[in-house]
Amino acid sequence: MGEYEVWVEPSGILPNGLLPNTSTSVTRVLDADQWLKAEEKTAELIACIQPNQPSEERRNAVADYVQRLIMKCFPCQVFTFGSVPLKTYLPDGDIDVSAFSKNQTLQETWASQVRDLLESEERNENAEFHVKEVQYIQAEVKIVKCLVENIVVDISFNQLGGLCTLCFLEEIDNLISQNHLFKRSIILIKAWCYYESCILGAHHGLISTYALETLVLYIFHVFNNTFAGPLEVLYRFLEFFSNFDWDNYCVSLWGPVPISSLPDVTAKPPRKDSGELLLSKLFLDACSSVYAVFPNDQENQGQGTCFVAKHFNVIDALRVNNNLGRSVSKGIDAL
């Protein structure tokens, strides 16, 4: 991932869902020459934190090791999903792995089997990799968590939604193109959220990675991919969502949805003007049709069939009853 792009002015944009009298600051015109210089410096920063060959080889080796261990426990297929195959992980990023089997009796026993084998590896002085801190977390999605060579690995079972989300985000990146501008922007904004403002991390009551990626995509959608580079995406992201009316609206790629209208998720248009959006309704509906995965009753505990408003409300583009902000334990003031 590399060079900055030709700057295009986002003039005439009137977004919906903002606090009163804030649209001017959100859509202000930037100095093209100065901004391009800043994008050059930002490209140097991204080059330091984005995936590189050594980090790719290290994570792939760990993922392959974990996959082989899981397949020793029971017949299954094992895949990585999330930021590692998407290539948007940070230096401190974890590895998400899911085992897939049609044997539904494993739904209750897989975690204890995997945990026992990992604990055995932890005690094995001759193990291929150093395993430690094995945990079984009985959360909304059951996870076996451990450290392998000091990389956090999260193991789940039959999480097809993770693979579908990966395919959806890859399709978005291919659509936006510009030398993976979408992925480079995700890396930069994740770094700001994780290292600077400490608001990223669903396990700690903060924003989930997929919710953040959806917010980044919303910026591309509303501004129709008119950016000088990842720094401008970060700037527009911060300006937009710090002025978004979170008390009254949910974010959705179809546009802001009034909280007062729930469970009806009919959205207002993303923009008040007649400007073109990045993603058509036809494209969004097609993605939802192809990539949506509806969980069974056990996996759907706490979600129900209707969208439930929480402190922070982001509607999943692939499944509209899924609140991607439900992990947030209180309002995120940093945005």
Side-chain angles (χ1 to χ4, degrees):
M1 302 181 190
E3 299 300 320
Y4 57 86
E5 288 71 36
V6 176
W7 185 86
V8 182
E9 177 183 320
S11 58
I13 294 178
L14 295 174
N16 240 327
L18 299 177
L19 294 167
N21 305 315
T22 59
S23 61
T24 301
S25 65
V26 169
T27 61
R28 67 164 59 97
V29 176
L30 307 174
D31 183 284
D33 292 336
Q34 293 298 318
W35 204 260
L36 287 177
K37 292 177 183 178
E39 291 288 358
E40 290 180 328
K41 293 296 184 183
T42 304
E44 296 175 7
L45 170 63
I46 293 174
C48 294
I49 60 176
Q50 72 182 10
N52 54 37
Q53 185 174 345
S55 70
E56 285 283 277
E57 291 175 351
R58 182 166 175 252
R59 276 173 169 74
N60 288 339
V62 168
D64 178 70
Y65 167 68
V66 172
Q67 288 169 334
R68 285 186 279 116
L69 284 180
I70 296 171
M71 293 171 70
K72 287 181 181 179
C73 293
F74 44 80
C76 65
Q77 291 182 288
V78 184
F79 298 97
T80 57
F81 64 96
S83 61
V84 170
L86 193 63
K87 300 186 189 303
T88 56
Y89 58 85
L90 299 177
D92 297 309
D94 58 9
I95 299 174
D96 292 303
V97 175
S98 193
F100 292 87
S101 173
K102 294 181 180 179
N103 183 355
Q104 289 304 308
T105 61
L106 289 171
Q107 190 74 44
E108 300 300 324
T109 62
W110 76 269
S112 58
Q113 293 182 58
V114 171
R115 180 189 58 195
D116 291 347
L117 183 57
L118 289 171
E119 289 176 343
S120 175
E121 286 291 290
E122 185 175 6
R123 296 188 295 269
N124 182 5
E125 295 181 357
N126 297 317
E128 182 179 348
F129 289 98
H130 185 206
V131 178
K132 60 181 180 180
E133 298 182 23
V134 181
Q135 308 172 59
Y136 174 33
I137 301 174
Q138 298 193 54
E140 183 178 316
V141 175
K142 295 177 181 178
I143 289 175
V144 175
K145 181 186 288 284
C146 65
L147 285 175
V148 180
E149 296 297 311
N150 290 319
I151 297 175
V152 176
V153 179
D154 288 344
I155 304 167
S156 58
F157 185 75
N158 278 357
Q159 285 301 303
L160 185 58
L163 293 181
C164 291
T165 298
L166 171 63
C167 294
F168 171 62
L169 295 174
E170 284 285 5
E171 185 161 342
I172 293 295
D173 184 64
N174 289 331
L175 175 69
I176 291 171
S177 189
Q178 299 189 60
N179 196 18
H180 301 289
L181 175 59
F182 180 58
K183 291 185 180 182
R184 287 184 286 131
S185 300
I186 287 174
I187 291 169
L188 181 64
I189 294 172
K190 279 176 68 173
W192 183 86
C193 290
Y194 185 76
Y195 296 116
E196 295 295 325
S197 63
C198 301
I199 60 172
L200 182 64
H203 296 314
H204 302 289
L206 304 173
I207 300 174
S208 71
T209 298
Y210 183 30
L212 182 66
E213 290 163 341
T214 300
L215 296 182
V216 175
L217 177 54
Y218 192 82
I219 296 301
F220 275 89
H221 184 43
V222 170
F223 287 88
N224 196 15
N225 198 17
T226 54
F227 303 110
L231 181 62
E232 188 185 350
V233 181
L234 171 61
Y235 170 78
R236 299 293 181 193
F237 174 91
L238 296 176
E239 279 288 336
F240 187 93
F241 289 116
S242 64
N243 289 291
F244 188 78
D245 190 354
W246 293 103
D247 289 337
N248 292 302
Y249 290 102
C250 312
V251 173
S252 87
L253 291 179
W254 287 271
V257 174
I259 293 176
S260 61
S261 72
L262 296 174
D264 180 4
V265 292
T266 302
K268 292 187 174 183
R271 286 167 57 164
K272 300 176 184 177
D273 60 279
S274 58
E276 187 177 353
L277 299 165
L278 175 66
L279 309 174
S280 67
K281 183 179 184 300
L282 182 64
F283 176 86
L284 289 172
D285 289 345
C287 286
S288 179
S289 175
V290 172
Y291 299 123
V293 175
F294 294 93
N296 59 36
D297 292 339
Q298 183 175 0
E299 293 169 323
N300 204 35
Q301 289 177 359
Q303 293 184 50
T305 58
C306 297
F307 184 92
V308 178
K310 299 288 186 178
H311 299 287
F312 186 70
N313 299 294
V314 181
I315 296 176
D316 188 349
L318 304 182
R319 186 157 54 92
V320 295
N321 71 321
N322 184 24
N323 189 348
L324 300 178
R326 66 184 180 276
S327 62
V328 177
S329 57
K330 61 181 179 179
I332 298 292
D333 296 330
L335 287 178

